[in-house]
Amino acid sequence: PNGEVFSLDAGPIDFTKEEMGNVRFMVGDAAQLLKDLPENCIDAIYVNFCDPWSKKGHTKRRLTYIEFLKMYSRILVKGGTFNFKTDNRPLFDFSLEEVEKSPFELLYHTFDLHNSDMNENNIQTEYERNFSAKGFTINMLIAKNNK
């Protein structure tokens, strides 16, 4: 009945299932987790600072590859959103191209989140703070599921 989430800043945070509300954390292989979820069960998906799989031949492992986007579309409700942030510009450019081929409609994108109109409501991740401190700009996109 109780859950525990680890915060790198504050250590473990304990909360009850009731306090957790409708948020769930899942750990495992993304492709398998996506296959196991029922259709139209998620309102939003957030992919933040994932592995860019930069080596040649690893494109299909990227979490923004068209096959992953199709799986996200299946589990997202109609109108649900796919939200993506990365410091890796080649990955972001690839992701924009994949979204164009997918069931998603690109609602918003920026190549410099922290100097955009979306920064006011942005919740920074630890990776985001670290990359920004090193001078990297943060890319972000929001896409709506149209299936």
Side-chain angles (χ1 to χ4, degrees):
N2 290 340
E4 188 176 81
V5 171
F6 286 90
S7 165
L8 296 175
D9 299 324
I13 302 166
D14 291 315
F15 54 88
T16 65
K17 190 171 184 178
E18 291 76 26
E19 291 171 324
M20 190 166 57
N22 65 353
V23 174
R24 300 293 181 269
F25 296 91
M26 301 169 75
V27 177
D29 179 81
Q32 189 58 50
L33 290 172
L34 292 167
K35 288 176 187 172
D36 291 343
L37 290 170
E39 290 185 23
N40 308 311
C41 69
I42 304 284
D43 292 321
I45 294 173
Y46 294 84
V47 175
N48 296 322
F49 301 91
C50 60
D51 188 328
W53 293 102
S54 301
K55 290 183 181 178
K56 189 175 181 173
H58 286 184
T59 303
K60 294 180 180 180
R61 294 181 180 185
R62 294 178 182 163
L63 294 179
T64 56
Y65 178 62
I66 185 68
E67 294 305 318
F68 277 105
L69 294 174
K70 288 176 183 176
M71 286 188 267
Y72 303 152
S73 178
R74 184 188 72 77
I75 63 170
L76 278 168
V77 298
K78 184 172 184 169
T81 59
F82 172 69
N83 305 268
F84 177 62
K85 291 195 290 189
T86 184
D87 66 303
N88 187 296
R89 181 61 187 268
L91 173 62
F92 191 70
D93 292 341
F94 168 85
S95 303
L96 287 171
E97 292 173 11
E98 294 296 285
V99 166
E100 288 297 318
K101 301 185 284 189
S102 78
F104 289 91
E105 172 189 349
L106 186 63
L107 297 178
Y108 181 87
H109 77 281
T110 180
F111 299 105
D112 189 358
L113 173 59
H114 296 164
N115 288 308
S116 77
D117 55 340
M118 296 296 274
N119 190 47
E120 184 177 330
N121 296 318
N122 179 44
I123 299 171
Q124 286 193 31
T125 68
E126 179 184 8
Y127 281 108
E128 187 171 348
R129 283 190 299 275
N130 290 342
F131 288 124
S132 293
K134 293 177 182 175
F136 290 92
T137 56
I138 306 304
N139 308 280
M140 185 193 77
L141 70 81
I142 301 170
K144 180 176 78 168
N145 188 29
N146 281 332
K147 76 144 186 81

